[in-house]
Amino acid sequence: MFDRDGNQKVDRQEFLVLEEIFGKKTEDDGSSESFRRQSPQGPPKTTLMTHLFGQKGMDSLDFNTFFKFMDNLQTEVLELEFLHFSKGMPVINEEEFAEILLRYTNAAETDRDEYMQRLRTRIDNGQVPNQNGITFPEFKDFCQFLNNLDDFSIAMRMYTIANQPIAQSEFMRAVKISTGHDIAPHVVNTVYQIFDKDGDGKLSDKEFIGVMKDRVHRGFRYHLMKYEGWEGWKSCVKHEMKTR
């Protein structure tokens, strides 16, 4: 999109088009903070631009380098989130995994409590047989799957008629089709125990995808939701309490 000369690389001037786009978007949204636009001439003014294009801003950026940078950045963010719950241990338990999934969703507090209580009950009932915890690679694989949620939603419908719910085996095949990767069966089972309301061993779009789309945006779409009056005040307080 931004490689204007077709040399398979992006220079600093081409990359600054992104800043211009986001700067205009910020102004359109009426935000009090606008992006600080940079000139293509002179040394870079931010650490990110220096990292990508060098001290003098003359380096270029190819796809593989930028992809590696983004993958490493995402991995570090996920690792910080994982360590926050694991407290230095190599695994998190199923309840902690559920808390992470629900952390940035717009689900009401009562719904979140219902999800957590449902999981605890099913753990006690032996419906989560493998309780050895979830490792960081398993957690990362699941989060990368969430990045392809739209593709998964399309693949999911290939196994259903009229949006009927699907079983775990079908869920895993849909993940494989949409991402090319596998998710650990124990992780999939845990997800089902969280979101499968009626306990029939199947999951529908409404039970899973609707909630997880909020998770993918990590709460950054909250500012797009418009509330006024008393409801707006309550929503604001709840949002701030959840994020602190």
Side-chain angles (χ1 to χ4, degrees):
M1 185 186 300
F2 300 105
D3 181 16
R4 292 182 295 183
D5 51 16
N7 65 349
Q8 305 301 314
K9 294 183 178 181
V10 174
D11 58 30
R12 181 185 170 199
Q13 187 170 2
E14 291 169 333
F15 190 81
L16 286 175
V17 174
L18 280 172
E19 186 183 70
E20 184 70 18
I21 292 174
F22 288 124
K24 289 181 179 179
K25 179 62 177 175
T26 304
E27 292 173 357
D28 292 342
D29 289 343
S31 174
S32 58
E33 296 183 5
S34 60
F35 282 83
R36 297 175 61 185
R37 295 184 176 83
Q38 299 186 46
S39 170
Q41 289 75 37
K45 296 181 180 179
T46 67
T47 303
L48 174 61
M49 297 297 286
T50 301
H51 175 79
L52 295 178
F53 301 104
Q55 291 286 343
K56 297 182 179 180
M58 302 300 294
D59 295 347
S60 58
L61 185 67
D62 60 37
F63 172 79
N64 291 331
T65 302
F66 187 67
F67 178 84
K68 184 178 180 181
F69 167 76
M70 292 299 297
D71 184 62
N72 290 340
L73 177 62
Q74 184 180 44
T75 299
E76 288 187 21
V77 171
L78 292 175
E79 191 170 15
L80 287 172
E81 190 171 23
F82 184 87
L83 291 174
H84 175 75
F85 284 86
S86 70
K87 297 177 174 61
M89 301 298 289
V91 297
I92 55 176
N93 62 39
E94 290 73 19
E95 288 188 37
E96 291 168 336
F97 177 69
E99 289 181 22
I100 293 178
L101 291 189
L102 299 171
R103 192 178 187 187
Y104 293 107
T105 67
N106 289 327
E109 195 67 29
T110 53
D111 293 336
R112 289 156 58 92
D113 292 341
E114 182 181 342
Y115 289 131
M116 295 303 300
Q117 185 56 48
R118 181 186 303 141
L119 177 62
R120 295 187 188 106
T121 300
R122 291 175 178 175
I123 289 176
D124 293 339
N125 293 339
Q127 293 176 264
V128 186
N130 177 13
Q131 296 184 39
N132 296 325
I134 296 170
T135 65
F136 177 70
E138 292 173 337
F139 171 70
K140 180 183 175 183
D141 287 343
F142 185 81
C143 290
Q144 288 180 331
F145 147 67
L146 291 181
N147 291 336
N148 296 277
L149 200 59
D150 290 335
D151 293 336
F152 168 77
S153 180
I154 296 173
M156 186 175 177
R157 293 191 179 95
M158 294 173 61
Y159 291 98
T160 63
I161 299 176
N163 290 330
Q164 293 298 310
I166 65 173
Q168 293 188 32
S169 59
E170 295 166 333
F171 183 97
M172 294 176 68
R173 285 198 295 270
V175 171
K176 181 70 173 180
I177 290 172
S178 60
T179 68
H181 300 285
D182 295 313
I183 294 180
H186 171 55
V187 175
V188 174
N189 182 52
T190 302
V191 169
Y192 267 65
Q193 303 313 321
I194 297 170
F195 295 104
D196 180 14
K197 292 183 179 181
D198 50 17
D200 62 353
K202 296 185 177 182
L203 213 59
S204 68
D205 280 4
K206 292 181 179 179
E207 288 176 322
F208 174 71
I209 293 180
V211 178
M212 285 299 95
K213 280 187 176 179
D214 293 335
R215 158 72 191 180
V216 171
H217 296 294
R218 292 179 162 271
F220 289 121
R221 292 180 62 86
Y222 179 82
H223 70 284
L224 299 177
M225 302 173 64
K226 304 298 183 182
Y227 296 101
E228 297 180 355
W230 173 247
E231 290 299 323
W233 185 84
K234 287 196 300 181
S235 176
C236 180
V237 171
K238 287 181 180 179
H239 175 71
E240 292 300 321
M241 292 179 66
K242 284 198 300 183
T243 55
R244 294 183 185 278

